[in-house]
Amino acid sequence: MGYELENMIGLLERTPAALNTLLRGLPEVWTETNEGENTWSVRTVVAHLIHGEYEDWMPRSRHILQYGETQLFSPFDREAHVQFGKDKTLSQLLDEFAKARAKSLDELHGLKLTAKDLERRGQHPALGSVFLSELLATWAAHDLTHLHQISRIMAHQIREAVGPWARYLGVMRCAGHSEAA
Amino acid sequence: MGYELENMIGLLERTPAALNTLLRGLPEVWTETNEGENTWSVRTVVAHLIHGEYEDWMPRSRHILQYGETQLFSPFDREAHVQFGKDKTLSQLLDEFAKARAKSLDELHGLKLTAKDLERRGQHPALGSVFLSELLATWAAHDLTHLHQISRIMAHQIREAVGPWARYLGVMRCAGHSEAA
Protein backbone atom coordinates (compact mmCIF):
# COMPACT_ATOMS: atom_id res chain seq x y z
CA MET A 1 0.00 0.00 0.00
CA GLY A 2 3.00 2.35 0.33
CA TYR A 3 3.15 2.32 -3.44
CA GLU A 4 -0.58 2.69 -3.73
CA LEU A 5 -0.63 5.57 -1.28
CA GLU A 6 1.63 7.40 -3.71
CA ASN A 7 -0.99 6.75 -6.39
CA MET A 8 -3.72 8.20 -4.21
CA ILE A 9 -1.60 11.27 -3.53
CA GLY A 10 -0.89 11.64 -7.25
CA LEU A 11 -4.59 12.09 -7.84
CA LEU A 12 -5.40 14.06 -4.69
CA GLU A 13 -2.80 16.68 -5.48
CA ARG A 14 -4.19 17.22 -9.00
CA THR A 15 -7.91 17.51 -8.32
CA PRO A 16 -8.09 21.15 -7.17
CA ALA A 17 -6.15 22.43 -10.18
CA ALA A 18 -8.14 20.23 -12.55
CA LEU A 19 -11.43 21.58 -11.19
CA ASN A 20 -10.04 25.08 -11.33
CA THR A 21 -9.09 24.65 -14.98
CA LEU A 22 -12.45 23.17 -15.86
CA LEU A 23 -14.68 25.52 -13.88
CA ARG A 24 -13.17 28.94 -13.33
CA GLY A 25 -14.80 31.49 -15.55
CA LEU A 26 -17.32 29.05 -17.02
CA PRO A 27 -20.72 30.62 -17.70
CA GLU A 28 -22.88 30.29 -14.59
CA VAL A 29 -25.45 28.28 -16.49
CA TRP A 30 -23.06 25.37 -15.95
CA THR A 31 -22.06 25.97 -12.37
CA GLU A 32 -25.00 27.58 -10.55
CA THR A 33 -27.68 25.22 -11.85
CA ASN A 34 -28.56 21.80 -10.51
CA GLU A 35 -30.40 18.61 -11.44
CA GLY A 36 -33.71 19.56 -9.83
CA GLU A 37 -35.14 20.16 -6.40
CA ASN A 38 -32.83 19.23 -3.54
CA THR A 39 -29.89 18.51 -5.77
CA TRP A 40 -26.50 20.16 -5.82
CA SER A 41 -24.99 22.69 -8.17
CA VAL A 42 -21.36 22.45 -9.21
CA ARG A 43 -20.62 25.24 -6.75
CA THR A 44 -22.21 23.20 -3.97
CA VAL A 45 -20.01 20.23 -4.86
CA VAL A 46 -16.87 22.34 -4.54
CA ALA A 47 -18.05 23.61 -1.14
CA HIS A 48 -18.62 20.00 -0.09
CA LEU A 49 -15.10 19.05 -1.19
CA ILE A 50 -13.66 21.81 0.98
CA HIS A 51 -15.72 20.68 3.91
CA GLY A 52 -14.21 17.18 3.55
CA GLU A 53 -10.75 18.67 3.87
CA TYR A 54 -11.68 20.36 7.13
CA GLU A 55 -13.80 17.68 8.74
CA ASP A 56 -13.32 14.32 7.14
CA TRP A 57 -10.10 12.97 5.63
CA MET A 58 -7.23 14.18 7.75
CA PRO A 59 -9.27 14.51 10.94
CA ARG A 60 -10.38 10.88 10.59
CA SER A 61 -6.85 9.77 9.71
CA ARG A 62 -5.57 11.39 12.88
CA HIS A 63 -8.46 9.85 14.77
CA ILE A 64 -7.45 6.34 13.66
CA LEU A 65 -3.81 6.93 14.57
CA GLN A 66 -4.77 8.34 17.95
CA TYR A 67 -7.71 6.20 19.07
CA GLY A 68 -7.74 3.15 16.79
CA GLU A 69 -11.03 1.37 17.23
CA THR A 70 -11.65 2.54 20.76
CA GLN A 71 -13.68 5.56 19.72
CA LEU A 72 -16.14 6.02 16.84
CA PHE A 73 -15.48 8.67 14.19
CA SER A 74 -17.54 11.78 14.68
CA PRO A 75 -20.36 11.63 12.14
CA PHE A 76 -19.67 13.74 9.06
CA ASP A 77 -22.39 16.33 8.51
CA ARG A 78 -22.96 16.19 4.79
CA GLU A 79 -25.03 19.36 4.79
CA ALA A 80 -22.59 21.53 6.73
CA HIS A 81 -20.96 22.84 3.56
CA VAL A 82 -24.22 24.58 2.72
CA GLN A 83 -23.54 27.06 5.49
CA PHE A 84 -20.03 28.11 4.65
CA GLY A 85 -20.48 27.76 0.90
CA LYS A 86 -23.53 29.90 0.49
CA ASP A 87 -21.95 33.34 0.53
CA LYS A 88 -18.90 32.48 -1.53
CA THR A 89 -18.38 32.67 -5.25
CA LEU A 90 -17.19 29.66 -7.18
CA SER A 91 -13.82 31.36 -7.66
CA GLN A 92 -13.47 31.84 -3.93
CA LEU A 93 -14.39 28.23 -3.32
CA LEU A 94 -11.90 26.97 -5.90
CA ASP A 95 -9.16 28.98 -4.21
CA GLU A 96 -10.17 27.70 -0.81
CA PHE A 97 -10.26 24.10 -2.01
CA ALA A 98 -6.74 24.35 -3.45
CA LYS A 99 -5.44 25.80 -0.21
CA ALA A 100 -7.23 23.33 2.03
CA ARG A 101 -6.14 20.34 -0.05
CA ALA A 102 -2.51 21.48 -0.09
CA LYS A 103 -2.62 21.83 3.68
CA SER A 104 -4.15 18.37 4.07
CA LEU A 105 -1.47 16.79 1.88
CA ASP A 106 1.30 18.58 3.75
CA GLU A 107 -0.09 17.15 6.90
CA LEU A 108 -0.36 13.68 5.35
CA HIS A 109 3.28 13.79 4.23
CA GLY A 110 4.23 14.92 7.72
CA LEU A 111 2.74 11.75 9.21
CA LYS A 112 5.26 9.63 7.27
CA LEU A 113 2.85 6.73 7.32
CA THR A 114 4.33 3.24 7.39
CA ALA A 115 2.76 0.08 5.94
CA LYS A 116 1.89 -0.81 9.52
CA ASP A 117 0.11 2.52 10.09
CA LEU A 118 -1.97 1.94 6.98
CA GLU A 119 -3.22 -1.31 8.48
CA ARG A 120 -4.51 0.44 11.58
CA ARG A 121 -8.24 0.37 11.97
CA GLY A 122 -10.91 2.80 13.06
CA GLN A 123 -14.61 2.47 13.78
CA HIS A 124 -16.96 4.14 11.31
CA PRO A 125 -20.38 4.85 12.86
CA ALA A 126 -22.20 3.08 10.02
CA LEU A 127 -19.60 0.92 8.26
CA GLY A 128 -17.89 -0.57 11.29
CA SER A 129 -14.22 -1.46 11.21
CA VAL A 130 -12.22 0.26 8.48
CA PHE A 131 -8.51 0.44 7.64
CA LEU A 132 -6.64 3.71 7.42
CA SER A 133 -5.61 2.58 3.92
CA GLU A 134 -9.30 2.35 3.00
CA LEU A 135 -9.99 5.83 4.32
CA LEU A 136 -7.17 7.25 2.21
CA ALA A 137 -8.28 5.40 -0.94
CA THR A 138 -11.80 6.68 -0.30
CA TRP A 139 -10.46 10.22 -0.19
CA ALA A 140 -9.24 9.78 -3.78
CA ALA A 141 -12.39 7.94 -4.85
CA HIS A 142 -14.45 10.74 -3.33
CA ASP A 143 -12.74 13.22 -5.67
CA LEU A 144 -13.66 10.93 -8.55
CA THR A 145 -17.28 10.47 -7.49
CA HIS A 146 -17.67 14.24 -7.41
CA LEU A 147 -15.95 14.70 -10.75
CA HIS A 148 -18.46 12.14 -12.03
CA GLN A 149 -21.27 14.14 -10.42
CA ILE A 150 -20.01 17.46 -11.81
CA SER A 151 -19.95 16.08 -15.35
CA ARG A 152 -23.48 14.77 -14.83
CA ILE A 153 -24.83 18.06 -13.41
CA MET A 154 -23.37 19.97 -16.33
CA ALA A 155 -24.68 17.51 -18.91
CA HIS A 156 -28.12 17.82 -17.35
CA GLN A 157 -28.23 21.47 -18.41
CA ILE A 158 -28.06 20.56 -22.08
CA ARG A 159 -30.13 17.38 -22.08
CA GLU A 160 -32.65 19.01 -24.39
CA ALA A 161 -30.18 20.97 -26.47
CA VAL A 162 -28.54 17.77 -27.74
CA GLY A 163 -31.79 16.53 -29.27
CA PRO A 164 -31.77 12.89 -30.40
CA TRP A 165 -28.10 12.43 -29.49
CA ALA A 166 -29.09 12.11 -25.83
CA ARG A 167 -29.54 8.39 -26.32
CA TYR A 168 -25.87 7.99 -27.24
CA LEU A 169 -24.59 9.96 -24.27
CA GLY A 170 -24.13 7.83 -21.19
CA VAL A 171 -23.84 10.80 -18.89
CA MET A 172 -27.40 11.78 -19.78
CA ARG A 173 -28.64 8.48 -18.50
CA CYS A 174 -26.68 8.40 -15.26
CA ALA A 175 -29.17 8.25 -12.44
CA GLY A 176 -26.76 9.58 -9.81
CA HIS A 177 -25.92 6.69 -7.61
CA SER A 178 -24.44 8.24 -4.50
CA GLU A 179 -26.17 7.60 -1.22
CA ALA A 180 -23.55 9.66 0.49
CA ALA A 181 -21.37 12.04 -1.34
CA MET B 1 -29.12 29.67 -29.18
CA GLY B 2 -26.52 32.33 -29.97
CA TYR B 3 -26.19 32.76 -26.23
CA GLU B 4 -26.13 29.06 -25.67
CA LEU B 5 -23.50 28.52 -28.31
CA GLU B 6 -21.24 30.76 -26.24
CA ASN B 7 -21.90 28.45 -23.30
CA MET B 8 -20.92 25.41 -25.35
CA ILE B 9 -17.73 27.14 -26.45
CA GLY B 10 -16.96 28.10 -22.83
CA LEU B 11 -16.83 24.43 -21.96
CA LEU B 12 -15.23 23.17 -25.18
CA GLU B 13 -12.30 25.53 -24.81
CA ARG B 14 -11.61 24.38 -21.25
CA THR B 15 -11.74 20.60 -21.62
CA PRO B 16 -8.25 19.95 -23.03
CA ALA B 17 -6.53 21.98 -20.30
CA ALA B 18 -8.70 20.42 -17.61
CA LEU B 19 -7.81 16.90 -18.77
CA ASN B 20 -4.18 17.93 -19.03
CA THR B 21 -4.19 19.19 -15.45
CA LEU B 22 -5.91 16.08 -14.18
CA LEU B 23 -3.99 13.47 -16.14
CA ARG B 24 -0.50 14.56 -17.08
CA GLY B 25 2.07 12.84 -14.93
CA LEU B 26 -0.48 10.73 -13.09
CA PRO B 27 0.79 7.24 -12.23
CA GLU B 28 -0.02 4.90 -15.12
CA VAL B 29 -2.08 2.71 -12.85
CA TRP B 30 -4.79 5.34 -13.36
CA THR B 31 -4.41 6.00 -17.05
CA GLU B 32 -3.25 2.78 -18.74
CA THR B 33 -5.73 0.46 -17.04
CA ASN B 34 -9.33 -0.15 -18.03
CA GLU B 35 -12.59 -1.57 -16.69
CA GLY B 36 -12.10 -5.08 -18.06
CA GLU B 37 -11.94 -6.82 -21.41
CA ASN B 38 -12.89 -4.66 -24.39
CA THR B 39 -13.13 -1.49 -22.35
CA TRP B 40 -11.16 1.70 -22.74
CA SER B 41 -8.31 3.12 -20.72
CA VAL B 42 -8.11 6.82 -19.97
CA ARG B 43 -5.48 7.07 -22.70
CA THR B 44 -7.89 5.49 -25.16
CA VAL B 45 -10.54 8.06 -24.23
CA VAL B 46 -8.17 10.92 -24.99
CA ALA B 47 -7.31 9.35 -28.35
CA HIS B 48 -11.04 9.09 -29.07
CA LEU B 49 -11.55 12.76 -28.21
CA ILE B 50 -8.84 13.73 -30.70
CA HIS B 51 -10.44 11.58 -33.35
CA GLY B 52 -13.71 13.45 -32.85
CA GLU B 53 -11.93 16.72 -33.57
CA TYR B 54 -10.62 15.36 -36.86
CA GLU B 55 -13.63 13.41 -38.06
CA ASP B 56 -16.79 14.39 -36.26
CA TRP B 57 -17.66 17.83 -34.94
CA MET B 58 -16.36 20.38 -37.38
CA PRO B 59 -16.52 18.08 -40.41
CA ARG B 60 -20.19 17.39 -39.68
CA SER B 61 -20.88 21.07 -39.03
CA ARG B 62 -19.42 21.93 -42.41
CA HIS B 63 -21.39 19.07 -43.92
CA ILE B 64 -24.66 20.53 -42.63
CA LEU B 65 -23.80 24.00 -43.90
CA GLN B 66 -22.79 22.65 -47.27
CA TYR B 67 -25.30 19.87 -47.96
CA GLY B 68 -28.11 20.35 -45.46
CA GLU B 69 -30.26 17.24 -45.49
CA THR B 70 -29.47 16.25 -49.05
CA GLN B 71 -26.59 13.98 -48.07
CA LEU B 72 -26.13 11.72 -45.02
CA PHE B 73 -23.21 12.31 -42.65
CA SER B 74 -20.37 9.89 -43.22
CA PRO B 75 -20.59 7.31 -40.45
CA PHE B 76 -18.16 7.99 -37.62
CA ASP B 77 -15.81 5.05 -37.05
CA ARG B 78 -15.67 4.78 -33.29
CA GLU B 79 -12.73 2.41 -33.34
CA ALA B 80 -10.51 4.46 -35.63
CA HIS B 81 -8.78 6.20 -32.74
CA VAL B 82 -7.29 2.85 -31.76
CA GLN B 83 -5.00 3.04 -34.76
CA PHE B 84 -3.56 6.48 -34.31
CA GLY B 85 -3.62 6.36 -30.51
CA LYS B 86 -1.76 3.13 -30.00
CA ASP B 87 1.81 4.33 -30.45
CA LYS B 88 1.43 7.60 -28.60
CA THR B 89 1.99 8.39 -24.97
CA LEU B 90 -0.71 10.04 -22.91
CA SER B 91 1.34 13.24 -22.85
CA GLN B 92 1.53 13.26 -26.63
CA LEU B 93 -2.19 12.67 -26.87
CA LEU B 94 -2.96 15.48 -24.42
CA ASP B 95 -0.84 17.85 -26.49
CA GLU B 96 -2.51 16.71 -29.67
CA PHE B 97 -5.98 17.10 -28.20
CA ALA B 98 -5.26 20.66 -27.09
CA LYS B 99 -3.98 21.56 -30.54
CA ALA B 100 -6.80 19.85 -32.42
CA ARG B 101 -9.47 21.42 -30.22
CA ALA B 102 -7.98 24.90 -30.57
CA LYS B 103 -7.97 24.46 -34.34
CA SER B 104 -11.60 23.28 -34.33
CA LEU B 105 -12.69 26.27 -32.26
CA ASP B 106 -10.80 28.68 -34.48
CA GLU B 107 -12.65 27.22 -37.38
CA LEU B 108 -15.97 27.43 -35.54
CA HIS B 109 -15.40 31.11 -34.76
CA GLY B 110 -14.50 31.65 -38.40
CA LEU B 111 -17.92 30.40 -39.47
CA LYS B 112 -19.61 33.28 -37.62
CA LEU B 113 -22.73 31.19 -37.24
CA THR B 114 -26.04 33.02 -37.16
CA ALA B 115 -29.20 31.91 -35.36
CA LYS B 116 -30.48 30.88 -38.76
CA ASP B 117 -27.41 28.72 -39.43
CA LEU B 118 -27.92 26.95 -36.12
CA GLU B 119 -31.39 25.94 -37.26
CA ARG B 120 -30.07 24.25 -40.37
CA ARG B 121 -30.53 20.51 -40.43
CA GLY B 122 -28.47 17.53 -41.47
CA GLN B 123 -29.23 13.85 -41.86
CA HIS B 124 -27.61 11.54 -39.33
CA PRO B 125 -27.37 7.96 -40.63
CA ALA B 126 -29.06 6.55 -37.50
CA LEU B 127 -30.78 9.49 -35.80
CA GLY B 128 -32.36 11.11 -38.84
CA SER B 129 -32.88 14.84 -39.00
CA VAL B 130 -30.73 16.86 -36.61
CA PHE B 131 -30.12 20.58 -36.11
CA LEU B 132 -26.66 22.11 -36.29
CA SER B 133 -27.38 23.52 -32.81
CA GLU B 134 -27.88 19.95 -31.56
CA LEU B 135 -24.62 18.80 -33.10
CA LEU B 136 -22.75 21.61 -31.35
CA ALA B 137 -24.41 20.94 -27.98
CA THR B 138 -23.56 17.26 -28.42
CA TRP B 139 -19.93 18.21 -28.90
CA ALA B 140 -19.93 19.75 -25.41
CA ALA B 141 -21.98 16.90 -23.95
CA HIS B 142 -19.54 14.45 -25.49
CA ASP B 143 -16.71 16.06 -23.51
CA LEU B 144 -18.82 15.61 -20.39
CA THR B 145 -19.73 12.00 -21.09
CA HIS B 146 -16.04 11.21 -21.44
CA LEU B 147 -15.13 13.11 -18.29
CA HIS B 148 -17.79 11.01 -16.61
CA GLN B 149 -16.23 7.88 -18.12
CA ILE B 150 -12.70 8.88 -17.11
CA SER B 151 -13.73 9.36 -13.49
CA ARG B 152 -15.41 5.95 -13.60
CA ILE B 153 -12.43 4.16 -15.17
CA MET B 154 -10.14 5.65 -12.54
CA ALA B 155 -12.48 4.80 -9.66
CA HIS B 156 -12.65 1.23 -10.95
CA GLN B 157 -8.95 0.83 -10.17
CA ILE B 158 -9.52 1.37 -6.45
CA ARG B 159 -12.88 -0.35 -6.04
CA GLU B 160 -11.31 -2.84 -3.65
CA ALA B 161 -8.94 -0.43 -1.93
CA VAL B 162 -11.84 1.63 -0.56
CA GLY B 163 -13.27 -1.35 1.33
CA PRO B 164 -16.77 -0.84 2.71
CA TRP B 165 -16.95 2.78 1.53
CA ALA B 166 -17.68 1.54 -2.00
CA ARG B 167 -21.37 1.54 -1.18
CA TYR B 168 -21.32 5.30 -0.55
CA LEU B 169 -19.51 6.11 -3.76
CA GLY B 170 -21.84 6.54 -6.71
CA VAL B 171 -19.05 6.35 -9.24
CA MET B 172 -18.35 2.78 -8.12
CA ARG B 173 -21.86 1.79 -9.06
CA CYS B 174 -22.03 3.51 -12.42
CA ALA B 175 -22.65 0.82 -15.00
CA GLY B 176 -21.31 2.86 -17.91
CA HIS B 177 -24.30 3.80 -19.96
CA SER B 178 -22.88 4.86 -23.28
CA GLU B 179 -23.98 2.95 -26.34
CA ALA B 180 -21.87 5.19 -28.43
CA ALA B 181 -19.18 7.36 -27.06
Side-chain angles (χ1 to χ4, degrees):
Chain A
M1 179 69 191
Y3 170 68
E4 289 179 23
L5 179 59
E6 285 313 299
N7 293 339
M8 301 307 117
I9 292 171
L11 174 59
L12 289 166
E13 65 192 7
R14 282 170 176 78
T15 305
L19 289 183
N20 186 65
T21 309
L22 180 66
L23 303 175
R24 189 179 297 261
L26 256 193
E28 291 192 351
V29 65
W30 294 113
T31 57
E32 296 292 333
T33 49
N34 63 20
E35 298 174 282
E37 207 178 344
N38 293 319
T39 63
W40 292 6
S41 68
V42 170
R43 191 166 60 80
T44 314
V45 174
V46 178
H48 167 78
L49 286 167
I50 296 167
H51 182 58
E53 299 304 305
Y54 295 150
E55 302 290 343
D56 192 339
W57 313 109
M58 287 310 299
R60 285 186 168 182
S61 295
R62 287 193 304 267
H63 184 108
I64 290 177
L65 294 170
Q66 187 167 0
Y67 302 111
E69 295 192 90
T70 63
Q71 200 175 306
L72 285 179
F73 295 149
S74 311
F76 179 67
D77 178 354
R78 291 191 306 106
E79 297 303 325
H81 63 273
V82 175
Q83 277 315 307
F84 79 83
K86 72 179 177 183
D87 296 325
K88 294 179 184 169
T89 65
L90 178 59
S91 293
Q92 289 171 323
L93 292 170
L94 288 165
D95 287 340
E96 187 169 349
F97 179 42
K99 216 154 136 181
R101 173 61 58 87
K103 190 163 170 291
S104 297
L105 291 178
D106 273 355
E107 202 186 330
L108 178 64
H109 285 298
L111 292 177
K112 296 188 200 307
L113 294 174
T114 63
K116 211 175 141 105
D117 290 330
L118 292 167
E119 285 170 17
R120 291 200 63 181
R121 288 163 180 272
Q123 273 292 329
H124 185 284
L127 298 174
S129 186
V130 289
F131 290 105
L132 177 55
S133 67
E134 291 170 340
L135 175 65
L136 296 172
T138 301
W139 188 4
H142 183 263
D143 280 6
L144 293 170
T145 213
H146 286 295
L147 188 60
H148 190 257
Q149 181 187 19
I150 284 171
S151 64
R152 196 188 65 224
I153 297 168
M154 291 172 65
H156 184 81
Q157 313 313 321
I158 52 174
R159 66 197 180 286
E160 287 167 13
V162 299
W165 269 287
R167 79 167 81 151
Y168 286 170
L169 295 160
V171 69
M172 299 282 178
R173 291 180 293 144
C174 180
H177 337 252
S178 287
E179 284 167 30
Chain B
M1 179 71 192
Y3 172 67
E4 290 180 24
L5 179 59
E6 286 313 299
N7 293 339
M8 300 308 116
I9 293 171
L11 174 59
L12 288 167
E13 65 191 7
R14 281 169 176 78
T15 305
L19 289 183
N20 187 63
T21 309
L22 180 66
L23 302 175
R24 189 179 297 261
L26 256 194
E28 291 192 350
V29 67
W30 293 114
T31 57
E32 296 292 332
T33 50
N34 62 21
E35 297 174 282
E37 208 178 342
N38 293 319
T39 64
W40 291 6
S41 68
V42 170
R43 191 166 60 80
T44 313
V45 174
V46 179
H48 167 77
L49 287 166
I50 296 168
H51 183 58
E53 299 304 304
Y54 296 150
E55 302 289 343
D56 193 339
W57 313 110
M58 287 310 299
R60 285 187 168 180
S61 295
R62 287 193 305 265
H63 184 107
I64 291 177
L65 293 170
Q66 185 166 1
Y67 302 112
E69 296 192 89
T70 62
Q71 198 175 309
L72 285 179
F73 295 149
S74 311
F76 179 67
D77 178 355
R78 291 192 305 108
E79 296 304 325
H81 63 272
V82 174
Q83 276 317 306
F84 78 82
K86 72 179 178 183
D87 296 324
K88 295 179 183 169
T89 65
L90 178 60
S91 293
Q92 289 172 322
L93 292 170
L94 289 165
D95 288 339
E96 188 169 347
F97 180 41
K99 216 154 136 181
R101 173 61 56 88
K103 190 164 170 290
S104 299
L105 292 178
D106 273 354
E107 201 186 332
L108 178 64
H109 285 298
L111 292 177
K112 299 188 196 307
L113 295 174
T114 63
K116 207 174 145 108
D117 290 330
L118 291 167
E119 286 171 17
R120 292 201 61 184
R121 290 164 180 270
Q123 273 292 329
H124 185 284
L127 298 174
S129 186
V130 290
F131 290 106
L132 177 55
S133 67
E134 292 170 340
L135 175 65
L136 296 171
T138 301
W139 188 6
H142 183 262
D143 280 7
L144 294 170
T145 213
H146 286 295
L147 188 59
H148 190 257
Q149 180 187 19
I150 284 172
S151 65
R152 196 189 66 222
I153 297 168
M154 290 173 68
H156 183 81
Q157 313 313 320
I158 53 174
R159 66 198 181 284
E160 287 168 12
V162 300
W165 268 287
R167 79 166 82 149
Y168 286 170
L169 294 161
V171 68
M172 300 281 180
R173 289 180 294 141
C174 179
H177 338 250
S178 286
E179 284 167 29

